[in-house]
Amino acid sequence: MQIITIAMQKGGVGKSTLARSLAVAAVRDGLSVLIVDMDAQQSVSQWAERREADVPVVVFSTENELPKKLAQAKEAADLVIIDTPPARSTEAPAAVEVADLVLIPTTPDVEPLEQMPRTLRLCRGFSRPVFAVINMANPTGSTEVTQTREVIEALGARTASVVLHRRKAHRDASASGLTAQEIDVESKAAQEVSKLWEWVRAVLQVNN
Ligand SMILES: Nc1ncnc2c1ncn2[C@@H]1O[C@H](COP(=O)(O)OP(=O)(O)OP(=O)(O)O)[C@@H](O)[C@H]1O
Ligand SMILES: [Mg+2]
C-alpha cells in the first residue's frame, strides 16, 4: 500500500479535485483505492455522496484516527490518497508524515506561490518526496507555466512534468459526483489527468 498526500496551505488550488481525479484514474487502472478526507469541509466526502459508484472508497479521518484508518486499509487498499485542509492545520503534518509522496497543487498565481514555502517546510521536516503540481493553468498560454516552474525551482522544489490546465470539465464532473475522466474520457481535462496519473505511478515506483 502506498500513500499520496495532497497538501497546500493556500485554499482553492485544487487539492480535493486532484485527490478525486487521481483516485479515479488509479481505480480505472485496476487499483483498489481509498481516499482519506481530512478536511472538516468534507468536500471529497460530499462528492462521494453525490456519486453512484462505490469506488474509490472515501472515509473521513481526524489526525488521531489516521493510524487506525491506515492500518485497517493496509490489506484492502493498494493506494491511499489523503486530502488535507487549507491553512495551518494539525491534519496536514499527520498526513505528510505517513506519505510516500506529497503533491502540492498550486495555481500559477502569486498568492499560492507565496504560500508554498510553508508547505515545503512542512514536507522537509518529514523528509518526504515532494512535487508541486501546476493546476488551473491558462489553456492558451505557456509563459505562465514556464514562469511558475522557475518560481518553484527557485524555492528548491520539483514540479510534476504534467500540468493541469483550467478546464470546465472538472467543475461539471464534480457537480454529479464524477471526475473529468468519467464524463468524457476524450476531453483534454481527462487526458491531462491520465498523463498525470502515469507520471505519479512512475514516481511511486521509483520511490518504492
Ligand atoms: N484544473 C481545473 N480547472 C478548472 N477548475 C478547477 C480545476 N481544478 C479545480 N477546479 C475547481 O476549483 C475549485 C477549487 O477546487 P478544490 O475544491 O479542489 O480546491 P481545494 O484546494 O481543495 O480547496 P480547499 O482549500 O477549500 O479545500 C473547485 O470549484 C474546482 O472544481
Ligand atoms: Mg479541498
Side-chain angles (χ1 to χ4, degrees):
M1 183 180 88
Q2 287 185 298
I3 302 176
I4 302 174
T5 290
I6 319 263
M8 171 48 138
Q9 291 204 8
K10 183 78 179 78
V13 293
K15 293 180 288 295
S16 303
T17 307
L18 183 61
R20 299 190 299 251
S21 296
L22 289 178
V24 168
V27 166
R28 293 166 80 96
D29 212 8
L31 299 191
S32 166
V33 184
L34 172 72
I35 303 182
V36 180
D37 181 359
M38 294 190 78
D39 185 357
Q41 297 179 98
Q42 299 208 22
S43 62
V44 178
S45 303
Q46 284 159 3
W47 167 83
E49 278 174 29
R50 293 195 293 277
R51 202 172 155 75
E52 280 175 18
D54 49 10
V55 289
V57 175
V58 178
V59 295
F60 179 77
S61 180
T62 63
E63 70 273 24
N64 292 333
E65 297 163 337
L66 185 62
K68 192 173 157 205
K69 297 256 156 99
L70 293 177
Q72 284 168 348
K74 211 170 172 93
E75 297 304 316
D78 303 310
L79 179 69
V80 176
I81 299 183
I82 307 181
D83 185 31
T84 63
R88 188 191 297 229
S89 70
T90 47
E91 288 85 359
V96 168
E97 185 175 6
V98 297
D100 296 293
L101 172 65
V102 183
L103 298 179
I104 306 181
T106 182
T107 63
D109 302 293
V110 65
E111 294 85 358
L113 290 168
E114 280 181 351
Q115 296 267 329
M116 191 174 284
R118 294 167 191 260
T119 308
L120 286 172
R121 267 198 299 279
L122 169 64
C123 299
R124 288 184 183 132
F126 295 108
S127 313
R128 292 293 177 258
V130 49
F131 288 86
V133 177
I134 301 174
N135 184 32
M136 294 192 241
N138 181 350
T140 58
S142 60
T143 333
E144 65 171 16
V145 169
T146 311
Q147 288 169 348
T148 304
R149 279 188 196 284
E150 284 168 5
V151 173
I152 294 166
E153 200 174 309
L155 296 172
R158 295 175 288 182
T159 307
S161 59
V162 182
V163 171
L164 299 178
H165 292 86
R166 194 169 52 244
R167 312 262 183 219
K168 190 169 166 289
H170 292 291
R171 288 171 195 269
D172 293 348
S174 174
S176 36
L178 297 169
T179 65
Q181 281 197 316
E182 294 169 303
I183 54 170
D184 180 4
V185 75
E186 302 289 323
S187 66
K188 287 181 180 164
Q191 288 176 5
E192 287 173 0
V193 167
S194 171
K195 277 195 194 141
L196 183 64
W197 164 243
E198 275 172 37
W199 175 87
V200 166
R201 212 177 40 186
V203 171
L204 283 173
Q205 269 163 11
V206 169
N207 286 293
N208 200 354

